[in-house]
Amino acid sequence: MNLRNGIILFVIVLAVAGAIWAGGDQGKTEDDAPAVKAPEESTAQAGESPSSSSQESRDVEKPQKGFRAPHFRLKTLDGETVDLADNGGKPSFINIWASWCPPCREEMPHIQEAYEKYGDRVNFLMVNLTESDDMDQMQEYLASEGYTFPVLLDEKGEVGDRYGVVSIPVTFAVDEQGVIVHKQMGMMSKQQIFDLMEQLAK
């Protein structure tokens, strides 16, 4: 396990312990204090949320609200290639997760339910941190739970790096123009997921 994966695992353990201690509070949006702050994230960086009307910020790739979502092209479990930019004129829901992550598992049933209801209007891109996951265990988990949403494989950790991931789950909502309109650090409740779907699918 490399240093980045070790940090992710350590932060996940802290997040789970913190959630139990705090009574199970849900994750925060980037406009609130995150459930677990990234070790290398400064206060200034955390507060950078430029207006989505700023054309300059919309042309710059950065994993923050108001900026263009960092591009990626990944293979799915079925061997198909998915390109973030090839969105079919629809918004995208990007969830970064791993099968060993308890908060990821807890929000999965709600994401599946949202996929069944909104999958024709929103692109669901469930990015698995395959570099730090076990492929066989991950596939067994998905099959046992009956999840049918598209799973993308971040086999080299490139998406994790581009999106500055140090804790999971983390979710990004991206509009039809490829601009991030929402960022959620930590587990989302069913209500949060469906509220976000209504915002994206309107």
Side-chain angles (χ1 to χ4, degrees), residues 38-178:
E40 69 275 12
E41 181 179 290
S42 69
T43 303
Q45 290 173 323
E48 286 187 78
S49 296
S51 170
S52 60
S53 64
S54 170
Q55 186 59 47
E56 183 177 354
S57 66
R58 292 168 68 89
D59 291 338
V60 175
E61 287 192 358
K62 187 175 182 180
Q64 298 293 339
K65 182 178 177 181
F67 289 89
R68 179 166 296 279
H71 178 262
F72 59 78
R73 181 184 292 108
L74 296 174
K75 294 284 189 181
T76 68
L77 280 171
D78 298 326
E80 298 180 1
T81 299
V82 173
D83 191 312
L84 177 62
D86 186 15
N87 62 15
K90 298 188 292 186
S92 299
F93 174 88
I94 304 170
N95 179 268
I96 302 176
W97 67 284
S99 64
W100 45 259
C101 162
C104 300
R105 287 175 175 247
E106 191 165 342
E107 68 179 1
M108 285 287 183
H110 309 315
I111 295 176
Q112 173 66 29
E113 188 176 345
Y115 172 66
E116 293 172 1
K117 182 175 181 178
Y118 297 95
D120 59 336
R121 289 174 282 169
V122 177
N123 297 312
F124 280 72
L125 308 176
M126 302 296 291
V127 179
N128 173 260
L129 294 180
T130 316
E131 184 188 35
S132 64
D133 209 342
D134 181 283
M135 179 73 79
D136 292 335
Q137 291 182 9
M138 181 262 288
Q139 291 181 287
E140 181 180 343
Y141 163 66
L142 293 171
S144 67
E145 298 296 332
Y147 295 142
T148 59
F149 42 63
V151 174
L152 282 61
L153 306 177
D154 187 17
E155 299 179 277
K156 298 181 180 179
E158 294 174 353
V159 175
D161 288 340
R162 291 175 188 170
Y163 280 76
V165 175
V166 293
S167 65
I168 52 175
V170 59
T171 299
F172 297 86
V174 181
D175 68 14
E176 298 89 336
Q177 287 74 45

Side-chain angles (χ1 to χ4, degrees), residues 21-40:
W21 178 82
D25 288 347
Q26 303 300 327
K28 306 294 184 179
T29 67
E30 70 170 5
D31 296 322
D32 300 320
V36 179
K37 187 174 180 180
E40 69 275 12

